[in-house]
């Protein structure tokens, strides 16, 4: 007897169908093939325990199970449920009529209860694209998978529930999620608001420009000036995620296993832009992704959102350098001996750092003088390479807030007001790049687009030429200045880049100045 049931194997943020073929002949042996890892091989013991606890006998046949395609590695315990169903069908304990209509995934406990799995959303999308009627998986993953329209998603708590459903002994209600209601309920909800920020008008303007164009930003200033506070409020002025962006972001968090924690709060879809803030002790692999069994790194978990690196020079230089290619390409390819996976990594990089090791260089406060030598300052700043700085569009110095501004009880401009201006600028960019599927904001423009949309008149061209010559800027910095100028013009509703727009963009290249720091 040959039985077939179906599961899926996550590959990057997508999934491919896995056909589980169970061949039963007289005997008492068990063989599992198809490139399973140790966790899958151990499923035999978990399945036997779950079957016996739930009143089933040990298999009375020699079972040979093949997990096809055999050249794709099968990882994790999520195959427990389809393997168990295949074994029961081979023992004629489960009807085979419905097996070809449903994809089945889930991890079994020894008592037969189902534990949550990773990658539920990519698996659901794979099931829909393959034409399956529905997907059966643990109840903890049902809300996440149910955002896939056109697919019936059934959440089960135990192996017995699945068996009874496939035997048509009981009915299960498919899980339904109102995606639009999720967007309406959760969009723009944030406890952090720019009205809490006192003073810092220059930095507020710079971060508004960054949000309006999707530009990378670096804040340099003394400790306690509000760098982290401002960065954490950036998501409150960013445009809302589109449904396509929300699905892509959710897929990444799903394969990383982070949606299981969200599902405890009954969240099935990420509708707010991610804000990731890894500690400076993070490793290269944890930042960009990879490992023996590749998983998304922080740059992919920040996809469509913000990656905030506080105390930037404290990160290992090698760790920072691995970000250079993803910052340009907006994706990361992880290659291993037997597999290659591609993760999206289109994020806004926002970083903060002190001007020197003690943090007080340039601060006009006799009570806190800088104690660093010129060599120490150069060494400290030298931890950030020139090529990485080239990829940061906006470099802004931030000073300590004066006492009179700290005492001021008048609320600052709110995030809602700033967001309105950002949304208007983004609307202009959406119309500008309507014919391009890969470009959504000014920061994503190619060099060809920069020449097309960032044309300068003679006076502006002369000004930029003088700046490039005097500061010795690179060709990449040239493009960055033009992109920021285009964003500033969009904020003002100007079709052409004016001189004041270009001057403001040039002012955001603080670390390119020869006079900076010494």
């Amino acid at each position: 007897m040959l039985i077939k049931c179906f599961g899926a194997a996550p590959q990057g943020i997508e999934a491919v169908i896995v056909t589980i073929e169970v061949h039963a002949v007289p005997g008492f042996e068990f063989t599992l093939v198809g490139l399973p890892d140790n966790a899958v091989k151990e499923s035999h013991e978990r399945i036997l325990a779950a079957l016996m606890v739930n009143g089933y006998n040990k298999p009375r046949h020699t079972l040979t199970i093949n997990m096809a395609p055999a050249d794709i590695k099968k990882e994790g315990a999520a195959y427990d449920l389809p393997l168990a169903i295949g074994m029961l069908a081979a023992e004629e304990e489960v009807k085979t009529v419905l097996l070809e209509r449903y994809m089945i995934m889930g991890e079994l406990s020894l008592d037969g209860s189902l534990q949550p799995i990773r990658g539920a959303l990519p698996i659901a999308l794979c099931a829909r694209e393959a034409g399956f009627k529905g997907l059966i998986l643990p109840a903890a993953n049902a809300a996440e998978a149910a955002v896939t329209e056109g697919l019936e998603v059934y959440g089960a708590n135990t192996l017995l529930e699945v068996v009874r459903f496939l035997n048509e002994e009981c009915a299960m209600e498919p899980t339904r999620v109102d995606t639009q209601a999720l967007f309406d309920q959760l969009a723009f909800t944030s406890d952090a608001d720019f009205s809490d920020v006192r003073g810092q008008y220059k930095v507020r303007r710079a971060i508004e420009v960054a949000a309006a164009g999707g530009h990378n930003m670096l804040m340099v200033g003394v400790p306690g000036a509000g760098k982290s506070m401002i960065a954490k409020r950036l998501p409150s002025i960013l445009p809302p995620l589109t449904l396509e962006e929300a699905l892509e972001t959710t897929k990444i968090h799903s394969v990383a296993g982070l949606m299981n924690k969200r599902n405890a709060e009954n969240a099935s879809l990420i509708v707010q832009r991610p804000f990731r803030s890894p500690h400076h002790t993070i490793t290269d692999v944890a930042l960009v992704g990879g490992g023996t069994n590749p998983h998304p790194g922080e740059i992919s978990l920040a996809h469509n959102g913000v990656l905030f690196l506080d105390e930037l020079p404290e990160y290992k230089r090698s760790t920072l350098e691995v970000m250079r290619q993803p910052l340009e390409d907006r994706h990361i390819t992880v290659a291993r001996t037997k597999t290659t996976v591609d993760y999206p990594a289109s994020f806004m990089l926002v970083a903060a750092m002190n001007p020197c090791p003690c943090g007080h260089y340039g601060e006009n406060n006799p009570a806190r003088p800088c104690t660093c030598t010129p060599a120490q300052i150069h060494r400290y700043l030298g931890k950030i390479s020139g090529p990485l700085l080239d990829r940061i569009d906006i470099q802004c110095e931030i000073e300590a807030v004066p006492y009179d501004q700290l005492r001021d009880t008048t609320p600052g401009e709110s995030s809602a007001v700033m967001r309105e201006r950002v949304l208007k600028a983004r609307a202009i960019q959406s119309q500008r790049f309507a014919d391009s599927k890969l470009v959504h904001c000014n920061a994503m423009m190619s060099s060809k687009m920069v020449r097309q949309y960032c044309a300068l008149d003679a006076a502006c061209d002369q000004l930029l030429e003088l700046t490039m010559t005097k500061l010795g800027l690179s060709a990449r910095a040239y493009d960055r200045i033009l992109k920021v100028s285009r964003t500033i013009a969009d904020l003002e509703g100007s079709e052409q880049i004016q001189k004041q727009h270009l001057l403001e963009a040039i002012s955001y290249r603080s670390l390119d100045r020869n006079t900076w720091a010494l």
Side-chain angles (χ1 to χ4, degrees):
M1 175 183 287
L2 180 64
I3 302 296
K4 290 186 179 182
C5 54
F6 302 92
Q11 296 284 295
I13 63 169
E14 306 298 334
V16 296
I17 298 174
V18 173
T19 303
I20 297 174
E21 304 169 323
V22 183
H23 183 238
V25 296
F28 299 97
E29 296 182 4
F30 176 87
T31 305
L32 179 62
V33 296
L35 207 59
D37 71 352
N38 287 333
V40 180
K41 293 176 182 177
E42 292 169 354
S43 65
H44 181 234
E45 306 304 322
R46 290 191 296 272
I47 292 170
L48 289 182
L51 294 180
M52 296 178 69
V53 168
N54 286 275
Y56 294 101
N57 296 320
K58 277 187 174 184
R60 299 181 300 274
H61 296 83
T62 291
L63 300 179
T64 301
I65 302 178
N66 177 43
M67 305 177 74
D71 60 338
I72 294 178
K73 190 170 184 178
K74 322 304 185 301
E75 301 170 352
Y79 300 99
D80 289 358
L81 183 57
L83 288 170
I85 294 298
M87 292 168 64
L88 287 173
E91 295 292 322
E92 299 183 350
E93 297 283 358
V94 171
K95 296 180 181 178
T96 60
V97 177
L98 299 181
L99 291 184
E100 64 181 16
R101 302 181 192 176
Y102 294 94
M103 185 176 284
I104 305 171
M105 291 294 284
E107 178 183 343
L108 278 175
S109 293
L110 297 186
D111 62 356
S113 61
L114 297 181
Q115 301 299 317
I117 62 174
R118 296 186 179 198
L121 181 55
I123 290 170
L125 293 171
C126 174
R128 184 185 65 181
E129 293 170 5
F132 285 93
K133 179 182 179 181
L135 170 66
I136 302 172
L137 76 175
N141 298 110
E144 174 191 341
V147 301
T148 307
E149 296 181 356
L151 182 74
E152 296 179 0
V153 175
Y154 296 93
N157 292 301
T158 65
L159 170 63
L160 282 179
E161 284 184 36
V162 179
V163 171
R164 294 182 64 194
F165 174 75
L166 294 174
N167 286 335
E168 300 178 291
E169 296 173 357
C170 72
M172 289 196 298
E173 286 295 322
T175 303
R176 305 190 187 282
V177 173
D178 189 337
T179 307
Q180 188 59 52
L182 277 177
F183 270 82
D184 295 340
Q185 177 185 357
L186 299 177
F188 293 141
T189 57
S190 175
D191 295 331
D193 195 280
F194 271 98
S195 60
D196 302 327
V197 180
R198 297 289 182 264
Q200 302 298 7
Y201 304 110
K202 178 183 176 182
V203 184
R204 288 170 64 107
R205 167 65 176 179
I207 206 161
E208 182 177 321
V209 172
H215 302 289
N216 301 324
M217 181 175 177
L218 171 62
M219 292 177 285
V220 184
V222 298
K227 302 184 292 293
S228 300
M229 181 182 186
I230 290 171
K232 291 175 181 177
R233 281 153 177 75
L234 175 58
S236 68
I237 64 173
L238 290 174
L241 289 169
T242 63
L243 179 58
E244 183 180 356
E245 288 176 329
L247 285 172
E248 189 174 34
T249 305
T250 304
K251 283 199 294 183
I252 297 170
H253 286 247
S254 177
V255 298
L258 300 180
M259 290 302 295
N260 295 335
K261 299 177 182 178
R262 289 176 173 268
N263 285 342
E265 304 170 1
N266 201 30
S268 57
L269 188 68
I270 295 177
V271 299
Q272 294 182 336
R273 295 191 179 272
F275 182 87
R276 304 293 298 184
S277 182
H279 193 260
H280 63 259
T281 56
I282 190 172
T283 63
D284 301 8
V285 170
L287 183 65
V288 300
T292 305
N293 299 324
H295 287 288
E298 288 291 333
I299 63 172
S300 295
L301 295 174
H303 180 64
N304 292 323
V306 178
L307 177 68
F308 177 50
L309 302 183
D310 203 2
E311 305 296 343
L312 188 65
E314 300 301 328
Y315 289 79
K316 290 189 301 182
R317 180 159 181 160
S318 62
T319 301
L320 296 177
E321 293 304 297
V322 295
M323 288 197 303
R324 285 163 51 178
Q325 178 261 334
L327 281 170
E328 289 291 321
D329 298 341
R330 297 187 178 272
H331 70 88
I332 179 73
T333 300
V334 179
R336 294 293 179 265
T337 303
K338 296 182 179 180
T339 183
T340 298
V341 295
D342 190 90
Y343 295 117
S346 181
F347 59 93
M348 280 182 64
L349 173 63
V350 178
M353 60 180 284
N354 297 327
C356 66
C358 77
H360 300 296
Y361 177 81
E363 185 178 9
N364 296 321
N365 187 346
R368 294 190 296 186
C370 177
T371 59
C372 303
T373 65
Q376 288 175 320
I377 296 175
H378 275 302
R379 193 180 307 114
Y380 182 76
L381 298 178
K383 294 181 180 179
I384 315 301
S385 70
L388 181 61
L389 283 176
D390 256 358
R391 290 165 169 81
I392 299 178
D393 307 359
I394 297 176
Q395 303 159 6
C396 186
E397 296 178 63
I398 177 171
E399 300 177 352
V401 183
Y403 181 75
D404 59 337
Q405 293 182 4
L406 287 174
R407 287 280 297 164
D408 188 3
T409 58
T410 305
E413 190 176 44
S414 69
S415 293
V417 175
M418 297 174 66
R419 186 170 61 242
E420 285 300 318
R421 294 194 293 267
V422 170
L423 290 176
K424 288 180 181 178
R426 285 292 184 107
I428 294 172
Q429 295 165 48
S430 295
Q431 185 176 1
R432 177 182 298 137
F433 307 124
D435 296 333
S436 176
K437 295 182 179 180
L438 300 178
V439 179
H440 308 293
C441 59
N442 289 335
M444 296 181 176
M445 283 193 290
S446 64
S447 296
K448 181 179 179 180
M449 288 180 171
V450 170
R451 292 192 296 270
Q452 180 179 355
Y453 298 115
C454 302
L456 302 177
D457 58 27
C460 289
D461 188 62
Q462 185 177 6
L463 172 63
L464 185 53
E465 181 184 7
L466 179 63
T467 302
M468 294 287 295
T469 303
K470 185 175 181 180
L471 299 182
L473 301 181
S474 67
R476 183 179 288 112
Y478 170 82
D479 279 355
R480 303 277 171 170
I481 290 174
L482 289 178
K483 290 178 183 180
V484 175
S485 300
R486 180 67 269 170
T487 298
I488 297 170
D490 290 341
L491 281 168
E492 295 189 4
S494 174
E495 292 187 8
Q496 297 295 324
I497 296 176
Q498 306 294 333
K499 187 175 182 179
Q500 65 271 21
H501 305 148
L502 188 60
L503 284 170
E504 183 177 350
I506 292 171
S507 73
Y508 293 139
R509 303 297 301 185
S510 298
L511 299 187
D512 291 325
R513 302 173 194 162
N514 294 331
T515 57
W516 199 91
L518 284 178

